[in-house]
């Protein structure tokens, strides 16, 4: 096992940072144990939500033997964790592209193997991140003094990557019985790092966001990024060790590929944009899609938006999709705060087949009122937004991974400081608004979308132009590169 915590792309990490990284690993090892000598079996099981549309199989670890063999020629592993919904969303895009290209996607969620040290370590860090996200929305002081600096500069430092690399050594055992010659696309850095520590031969590290941070480095993998701004930031490791000029990443370790987007969305861009513009011309209700993120934050903002839209919904100037993911309590809180909301709403709760049918019908059919969606299953909770995007006119979202999706976007205030760059990127390529940093500016943007045609039509035309030059082809390119790595050897 290579120790990548001391030298990162030829740049030496200070001894104090290395000791801190070693202490971090020792702390987790003491708390959760060392299972490096365990021989966890791995088996394949059809994913209940994503197998039918995307051919996805789950890799289950430490749950006994299975009878479905790994496809060593056409199989490709999508390694992920659940930390918010964004990393799952990237994984779904990779699985969708793999399926469309004729490959078999294997879903490997390192945060789902409850008996392993790997999952216990990830779960502990995930809990801290979720708590920090929620606190940042409740306390301006906490957000200003701790959360914003951590997300913006703390995660940017090479020393942070040093600690992650050591901790990821504890995650490697879950790969013990995975064929080492199968390509892996990590949609979070920990699966990529763990795969490398475990000896997986062909590892792709699909980096999210548009703000270069050492957090996302997994030396030994092929790093992929979605924007040219991120490409230059990562190549030079800009700002990752103060003002020092660092040794750059080698040219062959980093590729720009475009935005990671599902095949079902990319292949229907022209049709869906034409439908949006036609609805606007015909004076149909403008369909807004609101998504509650995986941390369950920003409920106060959503409440203000819904209150503002209710008169327009009653007048059939607007229609509203609200996906609360797997946070049913958020919908309960909203309806308690806004009594008239419940009477205007149709709920699509816990019935996946019914949700799928609604989404399919809405692409060409009429929609009015409020439609609320909740699904306990995490795959259904995330994928619901993907299905709703085709028939929605505008998605209102914090500038998370949805920044990169090919539909008109209204950006709410960011939660982590790194997210702001995604909104800047989207506004610059013409498929999203500027980030609305407070409630009055957010409501102003909703009114602009409803009361004029120019904004929506301009974004739709720009999205089609972007598509013609491959801006949204990142998931296809990631899969192709992963398979090329294997086929070249």
């Amino acid at each position: 096992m290579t120790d990548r915590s001391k030298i990162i792309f030829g740049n030496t990490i200070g001894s104090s940072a290395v000791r801190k990284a070693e202490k971090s690993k020792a702390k987790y090892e003491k708390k959760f144990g060392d299972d490096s000598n365990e021989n966890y079996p791995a088996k394949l099981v059809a994913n209940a939500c994503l197998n039918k549309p995307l051919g996805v199989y789950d890799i289950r670890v430490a749950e006994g033997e299975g009878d479905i063999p790994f496809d060593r020629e056409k199989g490709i592993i999508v390694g992920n964790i659940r930390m918010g919904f964004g990393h799952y969303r990237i994984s779904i895009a990779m699985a969708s592209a793999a399926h469309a290209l004729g490959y078999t996607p294997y879903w490997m969620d390192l945060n789902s193997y409850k008996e392993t040290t790997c999952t216990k370590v990830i779960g502990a860090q995930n809990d801290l991140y979720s708590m920090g996200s929620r606190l940042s929305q409740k306390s301006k002081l906490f957000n200003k003094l701790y959360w914003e600096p951590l997300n913006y500069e703390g995660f940017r430092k090479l020393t942070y990557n040093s600690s992650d690399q050591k901790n990821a050594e504890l995650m490697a055992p879950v790969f013990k019985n995975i064929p080492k010659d199968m390509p892996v696309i990590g949609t979070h850095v920990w699966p990529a790092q763990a795969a490398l520590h475990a000896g997986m031969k062909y590892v792709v590290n699909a980096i999210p966001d548009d703000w270069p941070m050492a957090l996302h480095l997994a030396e030994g993998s092929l790093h992929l990024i979605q924007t040219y701004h991120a490409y230059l930031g990562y190549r030079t490791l800009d700002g990752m060790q103060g003002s020092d000029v660092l040794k750059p990443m080698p040219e062959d370790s980093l590729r720009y590929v475009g935005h990671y987007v599902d095949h079902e969305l990319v292949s229907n861009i022209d049709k869906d944009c034409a439908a949006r513009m036609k609805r606007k011309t015909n004076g149909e209700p403008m369909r807004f899609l609101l998504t509650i993120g995986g941390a369950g934050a920003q409920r106060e903002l959503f409440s203000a938006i819904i209150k503002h839209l209710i008169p327009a919904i009653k007048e059939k100037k607007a229609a509203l999709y609200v996906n609360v993911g797997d946070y049913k309590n958020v919908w309960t809180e909203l309806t308690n705060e806004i009594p008239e909301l419940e009477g205007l709403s149709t709920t699509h709760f816990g019935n996946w087949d019914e949700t799928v049918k609604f989404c399919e019908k809405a692409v060409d059919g009429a929609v009015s009122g409020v439609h609320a969606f909740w699904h306990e299953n995490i795959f259904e909770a995330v994928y619901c937004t993907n299905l709703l995007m085709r028939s929605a006119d505008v998605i209102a979202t914090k500038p998370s991974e949805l920044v990169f999706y090919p539909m008109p976007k209204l950006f709410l205030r960011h939660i982590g400081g790194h997210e702001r760059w995604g909104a800047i990127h989207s506004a610059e390529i013409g498929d999203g608004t500027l980030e609305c940093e407070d409630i009055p500016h957010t409501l102003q943007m909703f009114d602009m979308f409803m009361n004029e045609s120019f904004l929506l039509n301009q974004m739709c035309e720009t999205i089609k132009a972007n598509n013609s030059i491959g801006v949204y082809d990142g998931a296809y390119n990631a899969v192709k590169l992963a398979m090329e790595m294997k086929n070249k050897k």
Side-chain angles (χ1 to χ4, degrees):
M1 184 181 293
T2 302
D3 188 346
R4 298 184 176 90
S5 66
K6 297 179 180 179
I7 300 177
I8 300 173
F9 290 112
N11 298 285
T12 302
I13 305 302
S15 57
S16 62
V18 172
R19 287 194 298 271
K20 183 179 179 181
E22 291 170 345
K23 286 181 180 178
S24 178
K25 178 186 176 183
K27 178 189 72 174
Y28 284 119
E29 193 171 357
K30 181 178 180 180
K31 185 174 182 179
F32 300 123
D34 176 7
D35 59 357
S36 57
N37 292 323
E38 294 290 338
N39 189 34
Y40 295 122
K43 67 178 181 180
L44 298 175
V45 178
N47 185 286
C49 175
L50 300 178
N51 180 262
K52 184 177 179 180
L54 305 180
V56 175
Y57 287 85
D58 293 340
I59 297 179
R60 302 280 180 83
V61 171
E63 295 183 17
E65 303 289 342
D67 54 10
I68 302 175
F70 283 94
D71 185 341
R72 303 283 285 274
E73 296 299 317
K74 293 286 188 178
I76 185 167
I77 296 170
V78 182
N80 55 72
I81 66 168
R82 178 186 175 179
M83 184 169 281
F85 284 177
H87 299 287
Y88 259 34
R89 196 171 306 287
I90 299 173
S91 294
I92 291 173
M94 297 299 178
S96 171
H99 181 65
L101 292 171
Y103 300 111
T104 302
Y106 297 133
W107 188 280
M108 189 170 185
D109 180 359
L110 273 62
N111 200 14
S112 68
Y113 310 137
K114 295 182 180 179
E115 300 302 315
T116 70
T117 297
C118 170
T119 293
K120 292 171 183 175
V121 170
I122 292 173
Q125 294 182 80
N126 191 17
D127 289 344
L128 287 172
Y129 189 84
S130 295
M131 181 179 67
S133 291
R134 289 191 293 271
L135 281 175
S136 72
Q137 300 304 292
K138 295 176 181 179
S139 170
K140 291 182 179 180
L141 190 63
F142 173 82
N143 188 57
K144 181 179 179 179
L145 297 181
Y146 181 76
W147 194 246
E148 283 276 347
L150 175 65
N151 276 270
Y152 200 58
E153 291 295 342
F155 293 158
R156 192 181 181 193
K157 299 182 184 304
L158 282 183
T159 51
Y160 195 93
N161 183 258
S162 178
S163 291
D164 265 5
Q165 285 284 13
K166 290 303 293 184
N167 292 336
E169 293 174 4
L170 296 171
M171 304 173 192
V174 299
F175 283 91
K176 184 167 288 187
N177 286 301
I178 307 297
K180 298 298 181 286
D181 61 348
M182 293 197 67
V184 178
I185 300 177
T187 61
H188 185 282
V189 71
W190 294 340
Q193 291 171 344
L196 291 165
H197 288 308
M200 300 299 289
K201 295 180 180 179
Y202 315 114
V203 181
V204 168
N205 176 23
I207 295 174
D209 301 324
D210 186 38
W211 177 239
M213 297 188 290
L215 162 71
H216 295 304
L217 298 175
E219 188 172 1
S221 69
L222 175 60
H223 297 71
L224 306 184
I225 46 80
Q226 301 182 83
T227 72
Y228 288 110
H229 166 255
Y231 178 87
L232 289 173
Y234 278 106
R235 272 301 306 280
T236 61
L237 303 178
D238 182 53
M240 295 185 187
Q241 197 157 275
S243 59
D244 292 353
V245 177
L246 300 176
K247 294 180 181 178
M249 292 177 66
E251 181 182 347
D252 61 0
S253 67
L254 182 68
R255 293 282 187 89
Y256 163 82
V257 293
H259 299 184
Y260 314 135
V261 183
D262 312 60
H263 166 74
E264 293 72 27
L265 293 170
V266 177
S267 62
N268 285 294
I269 282 175
D270 287 353
K271 176 183 177 181
D272 294 343
C273 282
R276 291 177 185 118
M277 291 188 284
K278 183 178 179 180
R279 285 193 291 268
K280 189 66 176 174
T281 299
N282 293 343
E284 297 180 42
M286 174 158 275
R287 305 172 182 184
F288 292 104
L289 168 58
L290 307 184
T291 65
I292 302 290
Q298 293 186 301
R299 187 188 60 78
E300 180 183 354
L301 174 57
F302 275 70
S303 178
I305 292 169
I306 292 169
K307 289 176 182 177
H308 183 74
L309 288 178
I310 281 178
I313 292 168
K314 289 179 177 178
E315 296 171 9
K316 295 193 175 180
K317 290 178 61 179
L320 186 61
Y321 300 154
V322 182
N323 181 19
V324 296
D326 56 350
Y327 290 85
K328 194 174 184 180
N329 64 296
V330 172
W331 180 251
T332 301
E333 291 167 359
L334 286 170
T335 54
N336 287 340
E337 185 174 343
I338 312 170
E340 60 185 323
L341 176 59
E342 198 162 14
L344 294 170
S345 302
T346 301
T347 55
H348 308 264
F349 286 0
N351 187 333
W352 182 242
D353 290 339
E354 192 274 334
T355 292
V356 172
K357 288 177 183 177
F358 172 86
C359 294
E360 291 173 347
K361 187 176 180 180
V363 171
D364 297 312
V367 174
S368 61
V370 179
H371 294 267
F373 300 85
W374 165 81
H375 297 88
E376 186 174 13
N377 179 287
I378 181 61
F379 297 100
E380 296 171 1
V382 177
Y383 198 47
C384 177
T385 294
N386 296 43
L387 297 181
L388 289 168
M389 275 193 269
R390 285 205 56 204
S391 68
D393 294 322
V394 178
I395 184 169
T397 174
K398 71 184 182 75
S400 60
E401 200 56 35
L402 288 168
V403 157
F404 300 101
Y405 277 69
M407 69 171 296
K409 294 174 287 287
L410 191 166
F411 290 122
L412 312 177
R413 178 171 170 75
H414 67 268
I415 293 180
H418 60 291
E419 292 180 340
R420 69 182 68 172
W421 286 90
I424 293 170
H425 168 73
S426 178
E428 288 183 336
I429 68 168
D431 64 4
T433 70
L434 297 172
E435 179 182 346
C436 300
E437 297 192 1
D438 56 32
I439 289 175
H441 285 92
T442 302
L443 302 184
Q444 178 195 46
M445 196 61 69
F446 273 95
D447 288 341
M448 288 178 67
F449 272 112
M450 284 191 290
N451 296 329
E452 64 176 61
S453 298
F454 178 79
L455 194 57
L456 178 79
N457 290 344
Q458 178 179 254
M459 286 188 185
C460 287
E461 293 294 350
T462 304
I463 288 166
K464 292 192 292 181
N466 290 340
N467 187 42
S468 71
I469 59 172
V471 168
Y472 307 112
D473 288 349
Y476 301 120
N477 292 331
V479 172
K480 290 174 184 177
L481 285 167
M483 298 308 295
E484 284 175 12
M485 289 174 69
K486 176 180 178 178
N487 294 332
K488 283 181 180 178
K489 300 296 181 179

